[in-house]
Amino acid sequence: MNKKRLGIFLGSIALLIVCSFAAYQYWLAPTRILIINATLAQAADIALNNDCARIEVTCIKKEEVKDLSGYDAIMMYGRGLFLDETQVAELERVAAKGIPVFTNALRHFNFIVNHNITPEQQETLQMYFQNACRQNYRNALRYLRHISTPHRLGDRSFENPRELPNNLFYHQEYGQYFKTPQELTEYLKQKQLYHEGG
């Protein structure tokens, strides 16, 4: 094989590798979601309820906000969140590349930053995270994947946010919430778990 053919062969192999990597990144790579300023309990709940192998979640403290490259979506908890100018500039830099940025915060919080998501998407994400439960954490991650990487292959299903009542009674069986003690008592009787005078 002469040098020209060898060069063409090696160039073709290099081009094939680059194209394969680009295709993997575009269609097959897991969606990388960054969560900033979550409490340890929130971070654990989010991580434990991620049941999708196509989603990778990383949780960091606000002090660790430095280089935000490589993430497909960024979600921040607004309570007690204050970022300095350098951190805000880094957030703006990745947002300029089209990365969705969402702040889970009440309206009166000082620091609320949302980029590349519609008001409807903000409202849906707010519903997921303000009604914290196993199903809502699971579906919030899937919804973020749907928003940030709609072209990626794999399971794209998610359910609408489950709204929890403000004041509730609950049974140790997960997801069983009741507005009144009578509803809880009736449920326990149906399951034959109620003991009169117990």
Side-chain angles (χ1 to χ4, degrees), residues 36-187:
I36 299 172
N37 199 39
T39 65
L40 291 176
Q42 289 165 331
D45 275 346
I46 291 168
L48 290 172
N49 291 300
N50 175 20
D51 65 348
C52 182
R54 313 302 269 151
I55 299 172
E56 289 180 6
V57 179
T58 303
C59 296
I60 63 172
K61 298 175 184 174
K62 59 187 174 184
E63 297 81 19
E64 298 172 20
V65 174
K66 291 182 178 65
D67 181 10
L68 301 178
S69 301
Y71 294 101
D72 298 301
I74 298 172
M75 196 287 266
M76 300 181 291
Y77 279 93
R79 178 175 228 149
L81 180 63
F82 299 100
L83 301 179
D84 64 31
E85 291 178 11
T86 306
Q87 292 171 315
V88 171
E90 177 61 12
L91 205 55
E92 298 290 333
R93 181 187 71 80
V94 294
K97 293 182 176 183
I99 302 300
V101 177
F102 169 70
T103 305
N104 175 29
L106 301 175
R107 294 192 192 280
H108 65 277
F109 282 11
N110 293 333
F111 190 86
I112 300 176
V113 176
N114 294 310
H115 293 289
N116 305 314
I117 54 176
T118 66
E120 293 79 19
Q121 291 168 336
Q122 290 176 33
E123 187 177 331
T124 301
L125 287 167
Q126 203 72 40
M127 286 289 292
Y128 280 126
F129 287 105
Q130 287 187 351
N131 291 281
C133 68
R134 186 181 310 178
Q135 293 94 335
N136 281 343
Y137 281 137
R138 170 197 181 272
N139 289 301
L141 293 174
R142 288 169 169 262
Y143 186 66
L144 276 169
R145 180 175 193 263
H146 167 75
I147 293 170
S148 61
T149 56
H151 51 276
R152 301 256 169 97
L153 301 176
D155 184 11
R156 310 209 52 76
S157 64
F158 60 88
E159 297 167 8
N160 290 328
R162 179 177 185 175
E163 193 167 358
L164 301 179
N166 289 332
N167 297 309
L168 55 86
F169 297 86
Y170 61 92
H171 178 54
Q172 66 185 11
E173 182 182 340
Y174 192 83
Q176 296 299 327
Y177 306 109
F178 307 94
K179 292 181 182 176
T180 66
Q182 292 78 19
E183 288 178 10
L184 172 58
T185 301
E186 188 58 38
Y187 173 79

